[in-house]
Amino acid sequence: MTTTPISEPQPETLERLHVPHFVRGEVRWGDDREHHSRDLGIPFVTPAISFDEVVIPRSEPSPMADVPIAEILDFLEETRERLDLDRNPYLQESLPRTAQISGIPLEIMDRMFRLPLGFLQRDAMEYRIERMLGSLDVVDGWVEHVDPTGRASRVRAVPPRLIHMVAGNAPIGVMQSIADGCLVKAVNLFKVPSVDPFTTVAVLRTMADIDPGHPVVRSLSALYWRGGDAQVEGVLYRAQYFDKLVAWGGGEAITNAAKYVGPGFQLVAFDPKTSMAVVGREAFASDEALHEAADLLASDAAGMNQDACVCPRHAFVEGTVEEVDRFCEVLIDHLVLDRRLSGGGPRTSPYIREAVDGLRFLEPDYRTWGGYDGRGLVVRSPEPVDWHPQNKTLNVVPVRELADAARYATVATQTVGVWPYDRKVEVRDRLAYAGVQRICRLGHAGMLTLGIPHDGMYPLHRFVNWVVDDDG
Amino acid sequence: VSTDQLDAALIERIDRHFQERREQVPLLRTRADDEGISAIRTAQDVVPCLFPHSVFKSYPPVLVEQGRWEQMNRWLDSVSSRRIDVDVTGVTDLDGWLDRLRSNGHYVMSSSGTQGKASFMDKSMEDITVGIDAQIGALVDRGVKPDNSWIMVGLGGSSGNFLATLSGTALRDRFARPDGLPNPPQPPQTEGHLAFMSRLAGLRRKMAEGTATAGELAQMEEDSARREKETVDRLNFLADAMLARADEKYLIGTMMSSAWRFYEVLRERGIEPGRFTADNVVFQSGGTKGVVVPENGRALVLEMLNVEPQRYVQLYSMQEVNLQASACDEGRYHPQDGLVVLVLDEAGEQLAPVVDGIADGRAALIDLTAHARWGGIISGDHIQVDITGCPCGRSGPSILPDISRFSNVGDDKLTCAGTMDAYVRGFIDS
């Protein structure tokens, strides 16, 4: 039997990282379970899970159910002010630990957590609810409509019970997940990833400092367990306790979780995605244009050192092989630049190196620029390569017409950055029909407009339970 | 703790081999130059020069799909020590390309991995001869006499692979009695094994690209099911033939996966251990690819086929090398002279430390007999090597019995950045 310390252990005295749990307003420390992070295999310990504390029985409504949305927005605005990195001890503490366990360079983490949290501004939150749910009123109460035959219905977006499987590749994303869970007044349980078990709890502790007994805080829990642990998932993933499993990402963790899906327990899956870019022949009109297009492409590809779904991996460039090679020569110079959210990333993956070493003997049909140090690598090929470009690797493919790129888009293609911007109109239908979910301006892949669909759906709309009181 | 896995004499032999191949294998030259390695003076020096096994499938698959054989020649040349200077005029398909290479002295070995994409590696007649002699040597070392007294049975069936056919013939010449079992009837084949695997790999790619038609997929499912049935029919034919002569002496060549399936076929007929009564031999290399074998599966197979432990000849090897390591009575594998076994860290970048005489990590092999290739390979296998000798009495390094695969999949991976592979379900696994 292990003991659960009542105060936070001092990091310098520890051999293993301590990962706290957060249970409806309370922080829990303990070393009952030992785990290892994925990728880097760093050991850490967590307390045991007390199931009865994290599952709110269906006989009890969500703590936020009867709290007006205006009050919840007040609370989230207050949270936003307290998430200032310079003044927030929890983020200051979690940041270096997250850097250590995720391998994301500390400077990038630091810059990421200094980004303005625009989605937590009141007008932004109101706009998102209005765009995705129709109105603020529908969250607080019953909104009436009358059909053409004169009969009335009253609809409410009723708070759901959600388990969020948070993606590990972009720590800032958990803030959005927490906000979204609150905007729909859900009961929220966050399953944190082993590559970032700290950020979620740091944000929730910040919220508990405002008022540990606030209904918002009492609806939030964050736990770590090893993804796929049947002793935990077999208990929690049930219609009797939760409505929906909200999964950001893919892989083994989701494949495994999907087997629990059944009547009353749904999967809201934001699937693993790949992205691409298309560049028009206007890039060859002048040196200035060439550099502009190359820099915008490099900037999209380099974000989070290319470890995000919005980052392009293949770029289709309208031009001859000679023109495209000129583009690649310029592109590599822009790709190796350190940027706000890029730099200091891992070396090129061995599988890419093996493949590219092979291609080096196939010039001029294939050509490469850059090296294997993780700063940037460009591969020009007559068709997309059969391996997955990552760690700042771009595969550039010449196309005769911009619209030809649609042939390479599939349901797995999330974002397509287009340059010049005015040619979006020309390609967007074909891309959309091929399965693409977002067409954006090249260089803006990481900057999402508020209130837009994600992966083919409006997330908040999918989270809530739409309930009707109608005349029949 | 030390990382000394090799003695000075062996390092010198590695360096001699490296110096020669470095001049001949373009990719080795590039790799060694990139890493600043001009000579092998320590075991660690050679590590960055070893090729991951995936090197032999690093070509763009469209080259095969679109029949760009000239470029395939150039790619193959980069991983070979002899120039691939072969006219490909008139070559129309993969089998034709391999035939053309073979008629020019390039015995290119092809195999399909778990991902379906075929690997290609050049072998010379020297490589082939060394490989066949090594197999015969492994059998003789375990007391199996090359006296043409054995009924030889291959459970795996013909892969249509030229090299497998050659070595099968060589073994038969020395070990097989003339009145062996009848050959299983060959179902009419519309395409060879390699062509089928190549079509499977191509279809998988088209699935990921979203261009495979439902009809093609249905056809592939149907063909896979038919091949599966042919395998079972074949094993049943062999079971009938062997049971009819159950007291005669068998030399059974197999992979563990095929052996287990044969065991299942026998069990389904209600056959119990004891039906086969002669001192049979099982000659096994290769793992359990694609078949789930229970923990005691090997013991059950050997008991069923009446194979005493000392007549179970088990090899550890891989297609990238000519030589192999053969298991002793302790179940440990002893590499043949000329085959260097190194243990690396999981990433394959550093030598693994030797702790209490044991190095634990990723297997790497250097075959000093490799002629048409460099012969330095990093595998996907997780091994432990005891450098202090073996309880069987032999000195030198021995590989401990438990060999597993390193998995690339983290248990807990969740990221929004995915690959198209996540969208392709099913058929490739079979």
Side-chain angles (χ1 to χ4, degrees):
Chain A
M1 191 64 191
T2 51
T3 54
T4 301
I6 40 175
S7 65
E8 179 181 349
Q10 293 305 301
E12 52 275 12
T13 67
L14 297 171
E15 290 173 18
R16 300 164 303 183
L17 289 169
H18 274 242
V19 168
H21 284 167
F22 185 94
V23 180
R24 306 185 61 197
E26 291 176 30
V27 185
R28 301 286 162 76
W29 299 91
D31 57 3
D32 306 278
R33 302 279 183 273
E34 180 163 354
H35 308 280
H36 288 84
S37 73
R38 82 155 160 102
D39 297 347
L40 299 180
I42 294 170
F44 61 93
V45 292
T46 67
I49 293 172
S50 174
F51 291 100
D52 284 345
E53 290 185 327
V54 294
V55 175
I56 301 180
R58 289 207 180 254
S59 54
E60 277 179 45
S62 164
M64 282 190 271
D66 297 323
V67 179
I69 188 69
E71 204 176 304
I72 293 169
L73 297 181
D74 289 343
F75 193 89
L76 292 173
E77 279 199 292
E78 172 76 20
T79 303
R80 173 173 172 267
E81 280 169 31
R82 294 188 183 219
L83 288 174
D84 177 355
L85 183 55
D86 290 324
R87 295 188 296 132
N88 187 308
Y90 304 124
L91 287 179
Q92 286 165 10
E93 176 189 278
S94 73
L95 226 66
R97 293 183 186 181
T98 305
Q100 182 190 349
I101 208 164
S102 69
I104 300 173
L106 186 58
E107 315 82 72
I108 290 188
M109 291 279 298
D110 187 88
R111 278 176 239 144
M112 183 164 35
F113 280 84
R114 290 180 193 283
L115 293 174
L117 299 171
F119 58 87
L120 286 177
Q121 278 176 346
R122 191 179 200 91
D123 56 354
M125 292 189 285
E126 288 177 351
Y127 178 75
R128 290 185 67 228
I129 293 173
E130 282 163 4
R131 289 293 306 131
M132 295 199 210
L133 302 178
S135 72
L136 291 169
D137 296 340
V138 80
V139 187
D140 279 346
W142 303 84
V143 173
E144 185 169 291
H145 296 279
V146 178
D147 79 7
T149 66
R151 291 175 300 170
S153 63
R154 287 150 293 268
V155 171
R156 182 174 174 194
V158 171
R161 292 159 196 266
L162 304 177
I163 296 178
H164 304 258
M165 291 182 73
V166 185
N169 56 323
I172 198 88
V174 303
M175 296 195 186
Q176 174 106 42
S177 288
I178 293 167
D180 285 357
C182 295
L183 293 181
V184 296
K185 302 184 179 178
V187 170
N188 296 288
L189 170 59
F190 296 90
K191 188 265 177 248
V192 301
S194 73
V195 291
D196 177 15
F198 301 109
T199 307
T200 308
V201 174
V203 175
L204 299 187
R205 291 174 78 184
T206 307
M207 296 169 85
D209 274 3
I210 300 172
D211 175 1
H214 194 283
V216 168
V217 177
R218 285 194 293 110
S219 75
L220 299 167
S221 297
L223 307 175
Y224 176 78
W225 65 85
R226 192 181 59 79
D229 184 344
Q231 299 212 321
V232 178
E233 296 177 355
V235 172
L236 291 178
Y237 292 2
R238 287 177 187 279
Q240 287 74 17
Y241 306 142
F242 292 95
D243 297 310
K244 292 166 196 187
L245 181 65
V246 181
W248 291 88
E252 291 283 291
I254 302 301
T255 312
N256 194 62
K259 70 178 184 226
Y260 295 102
V261 169
F265 187 68
Q266 301 174 12
L267 178 63
V268 180
F270 298 91
D271 292 329
K273 295 291 178 180
T274 173
S275 291
M276 63 190 222
V278 296
V279 174
R281 65 173 65 85
E282 293 83 349
F284 304 106
S286 68
D287 263 10
E288 197 183 8
L290 193 65
H291 280 270
E292 181 187 327
D295 190 62
L296 291 169
L297 173 57
S299 136
D300 275 351
M304 296 304 295
N305 290 325
Q306 213 176 12
D307 192 15
C309 47
V310 296
C311 300
R313 293 162 202 285
H314 304 274
F316 300 91
V317 180
E318 197 179 44
T320 64
V321 170
E322 293 70 29
E323 285 172 329
V324 172
D325 281 359
R326 259 176 63 216
F327 179 79
C328 292
E329 270 163 39
V330 172
L331 176 61
I332 190 66
D333 290 340
H334 289 273
L335 192 56
V336 299
L337 297 177
D338 283 345
R339 294 166 191 267
R340 190 167 59 175
L341 296 184
S342 121
R347 286 176 61 82
T348 304
S349 305
Y351 75 88
I352 294 180
R353 181 177 177 172
E354 301 320 323
V356 174
D357 268 348
L359 298 180
R360 291 200 151 137
F361 293 93
L362 295 174
E363 282 195 24
D365 304 290
Y366 298 79
R367 266 189 80 182
T368 65
W369 293 261
Y372 302 129
D373 54 10
R375 294 180 60 223
L377 181 62
V378 174
V379 176
R380 190 262 296 149
S381 57
E383 63 287 307
V385 296
D386 71 320
W387 37 272
H388 183 66
Q390 59 176 2
N391 309 122
K392 295 179 75 181
T393 302
L394 270 170
N395 174 217
V396 179
V397 178
V399 288
R400 198 181 304 240
E401 298 290 335
L402 211 52
D404 292 348
R407 179 152 67 92
Y408 301 109
T410 71
V411 286
T413 317
Q414 181 201 63
T415 298
V416 179
V418 180
W419 192 93
Y421 306 149
D422 56 12
R423 291 188 69 186
K424 283 199 289 189
V425 179
E426 174 188 334
V427 293
R428 66 185 176 197
D429 281 332
R430 278 192 60 188
L431 289 170
Y433 300 157
V436 169
Q437 293 109 56
R438 176 173 171 238
I439 294 105
C440 74
R441 297 190 294 177
L442 188 64
H444 295 68
M447 304 166 222
L448 301 167
T449 311
L450 293 166
I452 59 172
H454 189 94
D455 289 358
M457 61 183 126
Y458 284 107
L460 299 186
H461 192 277
R462 285 291 302 275
F463 292 170
V464 300
N465 293 329
W466 291 102
V467 180
V468 62
D469 152 20
D470 77 332
D471 292 350
Chain B
V1 175
S2 96
T3 53
D4 291 344
Q5 296 183 15
L6 306 177
D7 62 37
L10 197 48
I11 289 174
E12 206 179 307
R13 286 174 71 189
I14 295 171
D15 183 54
R16 276 204 302 277
H17 181 68
F18 168 78
Q19 295 299 346
E20 195 178 341
R21 293 291 170 270
R22 181 166 166 268
E23 296 303 315
Q24 300 164 335
V25 180
L27 182 63
L28 178 60
R29 181 60 176 261
T30 309
R31 181 64 56 92
D33 287 353
D34 281 356
E35 299 290 338
I37 306 282
S38 56
I40 308 301
R41 296 195 183 85
T42 67
Q44 179 61 43
D45 284 346
V46 79
V47 175
C49 301
L50 300 174
F51 291 172
H53 49 120
S54 56
V55 152
F56 294 105
K57 52 171 88 174
S58 69
Y59 59 90
V62 291
L63 300 190
V64 173
E65 286 157 22
Q66 299 177 0
R68 299 192 217 156
W69 309 115
E70 185 63 49
Q71 284 165 305
M72 280 303 286
N73 278 357
R74 277 162 55 203
W75 168 82
L76 184 62
D77 185 278
S78 74
V79 292
S80 304
S81 58
R82 303 175 305 160
R83 302 288 62 81
I84 308 294
D85 192 10
V86 173
D87 181 11
V88 290
T89 311
V91 170
T92 55
D93 61 10
L94 182 54
D95 287 317
W97 180 58
L98 295 174
D99 279 345
R100 187 65 61 84
L101 288 166
R102 196 179 308 141
S103 58
N104 284 273
H106 297 286
Y107 302 94
V108 173
M109 182 87 190
S110 173
S111 73
S112 54
T114 48
Q115 291 297 308
K117 187 175 173 184
S119 65
F120 299 105
M121 65 195 86
D122 190 16
K123 293 201 173 186
S124 66
M125 197 41 90
E126 285 88 332
D127 286 313
I128 291 169
T129 307
V130 168
I132 289 172
D133 288 351
Q135 286 194 28
I136 293 168
L139 281 165
V140 171
D141 279 354
R142 297 289 286 161
V144 183
K145 293 202 176 70
D147 57 4
N148 294 104
S149 69
W150 303 89
I151 301 178
M152 278 184 64
V153 178
L155 294 182
S158 167
S159 62
N161 183 305
F162 172 76
L163 296 184
T165 309
L166 266 189
S167 74
T169 305
L171 289 173
R172 230 169 267 280
D173 283 349
R174 287 163 181 79
F175 293 92
R177 53 192 269 185
D179 56 339
L181 301 185
N183 285 324
Q186 283 291 332
Q189 289 295 349
T190 49
E191 65 184 332
H193 177 76
L194 192 56
F196 173 75
M197 292 309 292
S198 156
R199 181 159 62 100
L200 192 61
L203 183 60
R204 185 177 194 284
R205 229 170 82 75
K206 285 172 76 178
M207 284 296 288
E209 291 170 358
T211 56
T213 69
E216 283 178 295
L217 182 55
Q219 183 67 51
M220 182 56 81
E221 297 276 12
E222 195 184 312
D223 293 348
S224 297
R226 196 190 65 241
R227 280 173 179 266
E228 170 61 20
K229 184 178 177 301
E230 286 168 7
T231 300
V232 174
D233 287 351
R234 186 188 140 73
L235 290 176
N236 273 301
F237 178 92
L238 289 173
D240 283 335
M242 286 175 67
L243 287 166
R245 298 166 69 176
D247 55 349
E248 297 188 58
K249 215 170 66 167
Y250 286 97
L251 170 51
I252 301 159
T254 183
M255 303 214 308
M256 192 59 215
S257 50
S258 303
W260 178 249
R261 298 198 61 187
F262 189 55
Y263 172 84
E264 289 183 319
V265 162
L266 292 170
R267 289 290 301 165
E268 274 165 27
R269 295 157 165 249
I271 307 297
E272 299 285 341
R275 276 294 288 279
F276 296 102
T277 54
D279 290 341
N280 297 325
V281 171
V282 160
F283 183 43
Q284 185 213 309
S285 62
T288 56
K289 186 168 153 184
V291 175
V292 179
V293 178
E295 209 163 306
N296 63 341
R298 175 192 299 171
L300 291 172
V301 167
L302 297 184
E303 185 192 17
M304 175 66 91
L305 298 175
N306 200 42
V307 175
E308 295 293 325
Q310 69 272 15
R311 282 182 278 107
Y312 174 46
V313 186
Q314 200 186 3
L315 303 181
Y316 174 67
S317 189
M318 46 196 73
Q319 293 178 329
E320 291 84 350
V321 297
N322 301 327
L323 301 175
Q324 51 232 239
S326 171
C328 66
D329 288 346
E330 302 289 332
R332 293 187 178 194
Y333 300 89
H334 294 266
Q336 293 171 331
D337 182 55
L339 182 66
V340 182
V341 178
L342 287 173
V343 185
L344 310 183
D345 59 5
E346 188 174 345
E349 290 168 358
Q350 302 286 329
L351 286 176
V354 180
V355 181
D356 298 332
I358 305 276
D360 180 332
R362 187 179 289 277
L365 302 177
I366 306 169
D367 186 345
L368 300 175
T369 71
H371 180 249
R373 305 165 315 289
W374 149 223
I377 285 291
I378 300 175
S379 79
D381 293 336
H382 184 179
I383 61 168
Q384 291 177 308
V385 167
D386 184 342
I387 64 165
T388 63
C390 177
C392 80
R394 289 160 77 173
S395 61
S398 56
I399 303 169
L400 270 50
D402 281 334
I403 297 175
S404 56
R405 298 289 291 175
F406 274 115
S407 165
N408 295 321
V409 184
D411 57 29
D412 209 10
K413 194 153 182 150
L414 187 62
T415 161
C416 68
T419 69
M420 288 189 282
D421 292 346
Y423 294 75
V424 182
R425 167 174 54 85
F427 69 101
I428 191 68
D429 302 333
S430 55

